[in-house]
Amino acid sequence: MSTLTRRGFLGTMSLASAAVFFAACSGGGDDGPAAPSAGPQVSQADIDAAMAKPTTLTFWTWVPDIQNEVDLFEKKYPAIKVELVNVGQGAPHYQKLRAAIQSGQGAPDVTQMEFQYIPSFTLGDNLLDISGYGAGAIKDQYPEWVWSQVSTGDVVYAVPQDVGPMGLLYRDDLLADAGVEVPTTWEAFVTAAADYRKANPKSYLTNLAPNQPGQIIGYLWQAGARPFAYDGDKTVTVDLASEAGKKVVALWGEMLAAGSLSVDPDFTDSWYQGLANGKYASWPTAAWGPVFLQGTAKKTSGQWRAVPLPQWDEAAPASGNWGGSTDAVLKSSANPIAAAQLALYINTAKESALKLATEQFLFPPSTTILEDPEVADQESPFFGGQKVNATFTEISATVTPDFGWLPFMDFVYTNFNETLGKAIADKGDLTAGLQAWQDAVAGYAKDQGFTLA
């Protein structure tokens, strides 16, 4: 599961400090970036030699119990020892990683990294291209949208570990009691929210969290918005207030104005209670949500169901993504071959990848693992016996590819709380809040020396 609260190293910098960081990383000259090309191929003989050489690797990760997968790796490669380090999830992880890279001391060989933070580390040329270490051969195991998150051209920066295609979890019993059908379009969702509120004046069809930019970005993704892009050098695109973006916030704004939504901050005690006590009859969330919900609302077991998000166009099913992480190898690693093989093994060796899916409950990015009977055929009593993994596998196939990020997503997430997030909390003008978010992010990009496309 990806971090839910994101305040990374850039979010804690002053603008002046951030400007120094970007200037140091951006390189000189006025020419545009050259198209990245894959590095040299490492021979199998070189891989075999490296994996037989006594080596210690440092692996920074926040995945619980990942020692189980590491044990499998060390059993296969007894000459390699892996030191696991959890420096924290979210901001602490990225702050300490950046500090170690900049100081030249203490950086790991392999590090967990969320999709949206990869550009901030490619900006500094900190990530090893692992295409020639075996990663280039695994492309066909993933949906196009997943692979586009970890690669540029033939260059591969990380191995996907988990993803968060978005669907809708809902209380079957509550909707049935209210006489409300499960909405399959966003237009129907607006009507259903109003009807549900009339039938249940003390509860809501769903909640719109004012502190959750990741969810909002997932909605934008599904609607076809492409709010961010980065050319790998000096040019960025900031297009939050696109027509697609305005369409999304206008819909949610309509429900807010009608009193059909709550605006409770998520991942708080009161929000957990709302899921458990029926205050919210549905939760638009990611593929990691079903397992999370089981631990939060145990007494509602058997009452939940999972379906795709409501659609903008039922003839062209689409979803967005919320969350997702990878394992990347730093260029500073003294043992790049062994480090790359660790990242590959943990996430692509069948036994290890199945453990991640069935024991740590990370939603797999790999179609190979998603189609394995241990994952695909798993029935969930909490969801009335539904094969929830199979449902989200189908949803994952509808996530649209080529969604980009900026090399300063920390600022994007932080500023959300001051702009669109504030408008949501105040039940105000969401279109104006979106424009304020757009203006702030574009202004920040200029302040850091980037050119707006």
Side-chain angles (χ1 to χ4, degrees):
M1 177 178 164
S2 200
T3 54
L4 300 172
T5 303
R6 302 171 173 98
R7 291 184 62 88
F9 70 96
L10 293 178
T12 63
M13 285 182 173
S14 68
L15 289 183
S17 297
V20 170
F21 162 72
F22 284 125
C25 293
S26 295
D30 296 324
D31 294 335
S37 56
Q41 294 291 313
V42 177
S43 70
Q44 187 59 51
D46 287 341
I47 292 174
D48 292 342
M51 303 313 287
K53 175 184 176 183
T55 302
T56 298
L57 299 173
T58 303
F59 181 17
W60 285 15
T61 175
W62 58 75
V63 174
D65 300 322
I66 201 168
Q67 184 67 55
N68 296 333
E69 288 78 14
V70 168
D71 288 346
L72 294 174
F73 174 80
E74 291 180 333
K75 182 179 179 180
K76 181 172 183 178
Y77 301 107
I80 311 294
K81 303 302 177 187
V82 179
E83 294 182 353
L84 286 176
V85 180
N86 183 351
V87 296
Q89 186 174 352
H93 177 89
Y94 295 108
Q95 290 166 348
K96 291 174 183 177
L97 181 60
R98 180 61 63 186
I101 290 171
Q102 291 180 331
S103 70
Q105 297 181 336
D109 297 280
V110 182
T111 183
Q112 191 167 358
M113 187 169 293
E114 293 160 281
F115 290 145
Q116 69 269 25
Y117 290 105
I118 289 175
S120 69
F121 288 89
T122 60
L123 172 67
D125 198 26
N126 304 131
L127 303 184
L128 180 69
D129 169 19
I130 56 175
S131 60
Y133 294 77
I138 64 173
K139 176 179 178 180
D140 291 343
Q141 296 183 25
Y142 302 92
E144 181 184 356
W145 76 267
V146 173
W147 195 248
S148 70
Q149 292 292 304
V150 299
S151 64
T152 301
D154 293 328
V155 174
V156 182
Y157 292 112
V159 181
Q161 182 162 87
D162 66 292
V163 291
M166 292 182 70
L168 178 69
L169 309 183
Y170 71 93
R171 285 280 298 272
D172 186 57
D173 58 330
L174 295 181
L175 265 65
D177 289 345
V180 173
E181 294 186 1
V182 181
T184 59
T185 68
W186 283 115
E187 182 180 5
F189 192 90
V190 173
T191 301
D195 291 345
Y196 188 85
R197 180 72 168 148
K198 289 177 184 176
N200 296 276
K202 294 184 178 180
S203 58
Y204 301 86
L205 179 61
T206 199
N207 178 67
L208 183 62
N211 63 324
Q212 194 49 263
Q215 186 181 41
I216 295 292
I217 291 172
Y219 291 146
L220 298 179
W221 189 331
Q222 183 212 17
R226 291 296 179 265
F228 315 120
Y230 171 50
D231 75 343
D233 188 33
K234 298 177 180 179
T235 302
V236 297
T237 297
V238 179
D239 196 20
L240 284 158
S242 64
E243 290 306 310
K246 291 176 182 176
K247 176 177 69 174
V248 170
V249 299
L251 178 130
W252 289 95
E254 179 183 350
M255 288 186 280
L256 279 182
S260 303
L261 296 175
S262 58
V263 290
D264 302 329
D266 61 3
F267 300 96
T268 63
D269 287 343
S270 61
W271 181 79
Y272 298 142
Q273 293 167 12
L275 288 172
N277 65 25
K279 181 178 180 179
Y280 321 121
S282 73
W283 181 26
T285 188
W288 42 260
V291 171
F292 177 88
L293 188 62
Q294 291 178 49
T296 301
K298 294 180 181 179
K299 293 183 179 180
T300 63
S301 180
Q303 303 298 341
W304 291 86
R305 303 291 184 270
V307 293
L309 282 179
Q311 296 296 305
W312 294 101
D313 179 1
E314 288 188 280
S319 187
N321 183 72
W322 175 13
S325 62
T326 71
D327 288 327
V329 177
L330 296 187
K331 269 193 173 180
S332 57
S333 173
N335 300 286
I337 295 178
Q341 297 313 301
L342 172 62
L344 285 163
Y345 183 91
I346 291 291
N347 298 296
T348 65
K350 183 176 180 180
E351 186 176 2
S352 178
L354 281 174
K355 276 183 174 289
L356 288 174
T358 61
E359 296 181 11
Q360 280 106 323
F361 303 108
L362 301 184
F363 190 77
S366 163
T367 54
T368 303
I369 300 302
L370 287 171
E371 292 170 358
D372 189 280
E374 282 193 52
V375 176
D377 295 341
Q378 189 177 75
E379 297 180 355
S380 172
F382 189 89
F383 287 84
Q386 182 180 356
K387 295 180 180 179
V388 176
N389 287 336
T391 297
F392 275 95
T393 296
E394 293 174 358
I395 292 171
S396 181
T398 70
V399 176
T400 52
D402 300 323
F403 190 92
W405 306 99
L406 297 171
F408 46 85
M409 288 305 298
D410 298 81
F411 178 84
V412 176
Y413 287 122
T414 300
N415 186 261
F416 171 87
N417 297 317
E418 303 167 9
T419 52
L420 180 54
K422 185 176 186 302
I424 293 170
D426 294 343
K427 299 183 180 179
D429 186 339
L430 300 198
T431 299
L434 181 69
Q435 187 63 54
W437 195 19
Q438 161 79 31
D439 293 343
V441 174
Y444 185 82
K446 290 180 181 178
D447 288 341
Q448 310 318 308
F450 290 101
T451 299
L452 292 174

